[in-house]
Amino acid sequence: MPVESGSSAASRQAKQKRKSHSLSIRRTNSTEQERTGLQREMLEGQDSKLPLSLRSNLLDLFGQIEREFENLYIENIELRREIETLNDRLTAEGQTIDGGDLTKGALKTKASHSTSQLSQKLKTTYKASTSKIVSSFKATTSRAVCQLIKEYVGHRDGIWDLSVTRTQPVVLGTASADHSAMLWSIETGKCLLKYVGHAGSVNSIKFHPTEQMALTASGDQTAHIWRYMVQLPTPQPVADISQTPCDDDIDFSDKDEADGDGEGPNECPSIRMASTTLRSHQGVVIAADWLVGGKQVVTASWDRAANLYDVETSELVHSLTGHDQELTHCCTHPTQRLVVTSSRDTTFRLWDFRDPSIHSVNVFQGHTDTVTSAVFTVGDNVVSGSDDRTVKVWDLKNMRSPIATIRTDSAVNRISVSVSQRIIALPHDNRQVRLFDMSGVRLARLPHSNRQGHRRMVCCSAWCEDNSSCNLFSCGFDRQAIGWNINIPALLQEK
């Protein structure tokens, strides 16, 4: 007895469906004509200010729309029938396979289990995303207040980096492309000391954790350690600048050319000689930092290496190699012997020196463009920023994927994290500074208008935990550093 092939059977079913579809449409059209006639008779009997011709045209249009919806409805029913038929076939095949081949049946069961897991994961992710969106809307109910306290003007070129001392007296340090580093009185804005020992752009500045020593990195391929002694001036009464809510609706200024050469700092003492010079890099030294305890320092260079030095002997202890392109930043953990280096190769690396006999390294590939900085928090987190316009928060215990991702509209430069409030400050190429919490919820944006804020790219941010007036600083290529007072309501900081 001949058996009909699968293809011919499928074609016959398709023809029957098309035939039934055309019949149903014909029935629909016939009923539509009857319905239209009845509706027109009803409309003629109703009182209306619209002309009868206009009412008839409207009725024709609505009739066409209704027919289109009916056609779509019929097609939808047929598609559902086809889906049910396919599901029945798959179910029958699965039963046959289960009976004939146990291995394939096990694989099918496993695939079904994986599908259910994926479905559950998608549901969980959707719920988390929704809750995060809801929390973002809740955050806008109470506004953060950002007040510009002081401007620190005196450099003759852009400021790459800034830092605040960890010991008394608390002063602000800035590193500039004008080949100098300056120490400032936070309260008065006066320059206290100027370091001019470098022969190239000063790219970073960091202070010793317990002593009055500064570490600067430079384009002259060296890093310098120099001691300082400053005396804070008597603070003058500060003019009260109106408190400005951190809002996105403030006017932007494009007056990039308004800044002139700027006035030089008032009679400011200078230091010309370093107490220690660290040499061994073959390219620009872009960043440097102190390891916990202050007995060793790490430097990052455009020669694709990071070097670990002994401060007392100036000797090179380790050369940390592995990055494929120039390094952009380095940072040390505040309480452990851990170092994180960032690079233009889109990665950042975690170097572990806690065990003297084993120096492990982990590579993290979470960005798609240059990683401009990666910093530690007091807890077990690393926060990385990139030219790909994202900032990612990582857990040191499980760094296979970030626990939070912040997406912005501009490249992110050297970020900083508040120790006490756990707030991330993001300096951008587009002259803005934004504040986020560790879960990725935006808290505020610093004011940017004709009168206050940066007029060019913001290069770096730094928090100060020991100063009541200014608790956040930013610097940029408009040759100034700015001290801010950030007041985040408790409601905004709730998780």
Side-chain angles (χ1 to χ4, degrees):
M1 181 177 178
V3 181
E4 186 178 15
S5 63
S7 59
S8 61
S11 62
R12 179 178 298 176
Q13 289 180 358
K15 289 179 180 178
Q16 290 177 352
K17 287 176 181 176
R18 284 198 296 269
K19 186 175 180 181
S20 62
H21 177 59
S22 60
L23 290 174
S24 63
I25 291 177
R26 289 196 192 100
R27 287 196 299 270
T28 304
N29 291 338
S30 62
T31 54
E32 275 303 316
Q33 293 175 359
E34 297 174 359
R35 189 185 309 165
T36 303
L38 291 173
Q39 290 177 346
R40 283 181 178 173
E41 292 177 0
M42 292 174 62
L43 285 174
E44 289 176 357
Q46 293 177 357
D47 293 333
S48 175
K49 295 181 180 180
L50 294 176
L52 183 60
S53 59
L54 180 58
R55 296 172 67 189
S56 179
N57 290 335
L58 287 174
L59 185 60
D60 290 337
L61 290 174
F62 284 122
Q64 293 176 17
I65 293 172
E66 186 177 1
R67 285 193 295 272
E68 290 294 332
F69 273 106
E70 284 184 350
N71 293 339
L72 290 174
Y73 178 72
I74 293 168
E75 291 180 2
N76 188 20
I77 292 175
E78 291 183 354
L79 288 174
R80 289 193 178 188
R81 288 174 182 169
E82 290 182 7
I83 291 172
E84 290 176 359
T85 304
L86 290 174
N87 285 335
D88 292 340
R89 289 183 182 177
L90 290 175
T91 304
E93 291 176 2
Q95 291 174 354
T96 305
I97 292 174
D98 289 340
D101 190 345
L102 294 176
T103 306
K104 291 183 179 178
L107 289 174
K108 188 175 184 68
T109 305
K110 185 176 181 180
S112 176
H113 180 64
S114 302
T115 304
S116 63
Q117 281 186 336
L118 178 61
S119 176
Q120 185 63 33
K121 185 179 290 187
L122 288 172
K123 290 179 182 178
T124 306
T125 306
Y126 173 76
K127 289 179 180 179
S129 307
T130 306
S131 63
K132 186 173 289 188
I133 292 172
V134 171
S135 66
S136 300
F137 280 113
K138 287 180 180 178
T140 60
T141 58
S142 182
R143 303 170 73 185
V145 176
C146 308
Q147 184 180 7
L148 189 153
I149 301 298
K150 186 67 65 176
E151 294 178 343
Y152 306 88
V153 181
H155 280 292
R156 298 189 177 276
D157 209 336
I159 303 176
W160 291 117
D161 196 25
L162 79 171
S163 181
V164 180
T165 58
R166 301 184 235 182
T167 58
Q168 296 293 333
V170 178
V171 297
L172 172 69
T174 55
S176 171
D178 64 5
H179 298 193
S180 72
M182 291 184 180
L183 304 186
W184 306 82
S185 166
I186 293 178
E187 302 294 338
T188 65
K190 179 182 178 181
C191 176
L192 305 175
L193 187 66
K194 185 175 183 180
Y195 180 73
V196 292
H198 283 291
S201 169
V202 184
N203 300 319
S204 80
I205 180 169
K206 287 291 185 292
F207 292 101
H208 193 278
T210 58
E211 300 182 34
Q212 292 188 10
M213 292 195 298
L215 170 66
T216 51
S218 173
D220 61 11
Q221 303 185 6
T222 67
H224 290 182
I225 298 174
W226 42 279
R227 292 185 175 273
Y228 63 89
M229 290 185 63
V230 293
Q231 184 175 1
L232 295 180
T234 303
Q236 301 294 326
V238 180
D240 184 20
I241 301 176
S242 60
Q243 293 187 353
T244 307
C246 304
D247 197 354
D248 284 341
D249 296 331
I250 297 176
D251 236 359
F252 281 85
S253 170
D254 292 326
K255 298 169 63 176
D256 283 353
E257 304 303 327
D259 53 334
D261 291 339
E263 296 294 332
N266 299 329
E267 294 300 325
C268 182
S270 60
I271 299 177
R272 297 183 179 274
M273 295 294 295
S275 57
T276 302
T277 300
L278 306 175
R279 310 173 188 270
S280 65
H281 283 294
Q282 304 300 314
V284 170
V285 183
I286 196 65
D289 202 359
W290 302 86
L291 266 74
V292 58
K295 295 182 179 180
Q296 291 180 327
V297 298
V298 62
T299 58
S301 172
W302 285 3
D303 63 7
R304 307 183 183 183
N307 290 342
L308 191 67
Y309 295 93
D310 182 89
V311 172
E312 186 176 354
T313 63
S314 305
E315 291 182 356
L316 177 64
V317 179
H318 293 290
S319 184
L320 313 178
T321 58
H323 281 290
D324 295 330
Q325 295 187 38
E326 295 91 335
L327 272 64
T328 57
H329 191 252
C330 65
C331 179
T332 59
H333 195 280
T335 59
Q336 303 181 62
R337 290 178 56 82
L338 298 172
V339 176
V340 62
T341 55
S342 312
S343 172
R344 291 184 60 189
D345 62 9
T346 73
T347 71
F348 65 96
R349 294 180 176 233
L350 177 66
W351 311 82
D352 190 345
F353 297 100
R354 289 175 292 187
D355 188 342
S357 59
I358 302 174
H359 303 140
S360 63
V361 58
N362 294 311
V363 183
F364 303 98
Q365 301 176 340
H367 292 282
T368 59
D369 206 339
T370 298
V371 182
T372 52
S373 63
V375 299
F376 292 100
T377 66
V378 175
D380 294 326
N381 297 116
V382 172
V383 184
S384 60
S386 171
D387 280 343
D388 65 7
R389 303 182 180 185
T390 67
V391 172
K392 297 178 185 288
V393 182
W394 308 79
D395 187 348
L396 280 176
K397 298 176 182 177
N398 181 17
M399 296 189 67
R400 287 177 295 181
S401 60
I403 58 177
T405 298
I406 301 168
R407 303 187 187 280
T408 69
D409 59 355
S410 180
V412 181
N413 296 311
R414 293 183 176 178
I415 59 180
S416 62
V417 181
S418 168
V419 174
S420 59
Q421 303 181 80
R422 292 176 63 81
I423 299 173
I424 312 169
L426 277 56
H428 291 285
D429 277 0
N430 65 0
R431 303 172 293 176
Q432 297 185 29
V433 180
R434 291 189 176 98
L435 307 180
F436 289 80
D437 66 12
M438 294 293 290
S439 62
V441 176
R442 195 187 69 172
L443 302 176
R445 193 199 70 188
L446 301 192
H448 184 163
S449 67
N450 294 341
R451 293 165 296 160
Q452 54 182 310
H454 289 285
R455 297 186 296 273
R456 291 189 180 177
M457 174 180 72
V458 188
C459 300
C460 181
S461 65
W463 290 91
C464 176
E465 312 293 339
D466 301 323
N467 190 274
S468 58
S469 61
C470 298
N471 54 3
L472 176 64
F473 297 90
S474 60
C475 66
F477 239 63
D478 54 1
R479 309 177 188 180
Q480 68 172 341
I482 299 178
W484 306 87
N485 181 268
I486 309 299
N487 183 12
I488 307 292
L491 175 63
L492 291 182
Q493 299 182 54
E494 290 179 359
K495 300 298 180 184

